[in-house]
Amino acid sequence: MRRLATGFGLGVAIFVTTVLAVGAPAGLPEVFAPYQSWTKMNAVPLTDPSNPRAGPKNTFINLDAGVLRSLIGRGARTRAPFHAGTVIVRETLDVDAGFVRVLFVMERDAAQTRTRGWKFSGLSRTAANQAFQPIAIADPVARCLNCHLQMGASDLVFTPFLNRRDALPGRTPTSGDRVEIFNYLFGPQTLRVRAGTTVAFVNYDAVVHDVKAADRSFESGNLPAQGRYFQTFTRPQTVQYFCAVLLEMRGQIVVEP
Ligand SMILES: [Cu+2]
């Protein structure tokens, strides 16, 4: 009986520790330890179809959803820079083990003049029960800023506030041989064309997107606002494609004989 009770106590202790560990992973600075309870910016976990080893990613921000919506409008152009104290945390899960392995962080910090007022940092761990350790980023300009600079129109932030209810109602696929990139979506998501058709991909967003075949048979390269890309589909097949800038975006072309 005593042994049983001890076992039970131990079980509870382990349970409590596990729950606590899930609630606030060890090793996180206080300012973003509770990040998982913040506003989630992405509608669905981001995955990278070209790299099955990379796990799903989620992005959280320490702003109220309403405030965030007022900052990032349709097309994700920010109306004002994010204010002091804003923190954005992107977590990446380990596919095989199912725990958060890497955190990338952007913190608004006016002292960071070389990186446009954002402090870029990262943390990682190799097991779920380990404390996070800071990742040494020797040159945040080269390693982080230079890539994020392409999002100049949205204060260097890629992830739009993808609340699907914000997507424009009644946005219907255009007919024919055209895919519109709008509000961070490819439309129509499935386009059916006859073999031999040239499809135009047109970017109506204010930010850069691209179009990349999952089998790498074509890639548009960066499509700026109003950018166009043409691709001819000669043989019957189904082509999956995605945007390598924002990996959440996907679509497919069904080429019929
Ligand atoms: Cu995109």
Side-chain angles (χ1 to χ4, degrees), residues 32-245:
F32 54 84
Y35 79 88
Q36 283 175 327
S37 64
W38 294 353
T39 303
K40 196 161 153 212
M41 295 176 77
N42 56 304
V44 294
L46 303 173
T47 50
D48 182 349
S50 69
N51 179 6
R53 282 256 350 128
K57 297 181 277 191
N58 289 301
T59 298
F60 301 86
I61 189 163
N62 66 343
L63 291 180
D64 177 84
V67 173
L68 180 61
R69 202 176 280 116
S70 72
L71 278 172
I72 301 187
R74 288 192 182 127
R77 184 177 283 273
T78 43
R79 300 189 179 112
F82 287 97
H83 56 68
T86 303
V87 184
I88 305 177
V89 176
R90 196 194 66 190
E91 60 170 31
T92 306
L93 273 77
D94 183 287
V95 193
D96 304 324
F99 67 93
V100 175
R101 185 186 282 275
V102 181
L103 297 178
F104 268 17
V105 184
M106 287 167 70
E107 282 170 78
R108 189 43 110 195
D109 174 0
Q112 307 283 329
T113 47
R114 284 183 65 227
T115 47
R116 298 226 183 158
W118 284 109
K119 180 182 172 198
F120 290 90
S121 64
L123 296 116
S124 70
R125 59 180 175 179
T126 50
N129 58 3
Q130 269 195 353
F132 277 99
Q133 302 289 332
I135 300 170
I137 305 171
D139 185 356
V141 172
R143 302 287 304 169
C144 312
L145 179 76
N146 283 347
C147 201
H148 276 253
L149 274 180
Q150 58 181 302
M151 303 311 284
S154 56
D155 202 6
L156 308 192
V157 174
F158 278 95
T159 310
F161 188 38
L162 278 180
N163 182 337
R164 292 292 183 220
R165 281 171 308 184
D166 287 352
L168 289 190
R171 185 83 189 173
T172 44
T174 47
S175 61
D177 46 5
R178 181 182 169 98
V179 172
E180 294 186 1
I181 303 171
F182 186 72
N183 222 14
Y184 294 78
L185 293 169
F186 290 111
Q189 229 124 51
T190 299
L191 178 70
R192 290 175 186 279
V193 297
R194 283 289 162 89
T197 302
T198 299
V199 174
F201 296 83
V202 188
N203 181 9
Y204 287 100
D205 272 340
V207 300
V208 172
H209 292 287
D210 83 348
V211 185
K212 184 171 182 173
D215 65 4
R216 308 295 172 86
S217 53
F218 63 87
E219 179 170 15
S220 65
N222 278 353
L223 285 180
Q226 307 300 320
R228 272 142 221 262
Y229 172 70
F230 298 92
Q231 177 66 34
T232 304
F233 298 93
T234 49
R235 64 183 173 85
Q237 59 173 325
T238 296
V239 185
Q240 314 279 344
Y241 63 87
F242 61 99
C243 166
V245 179

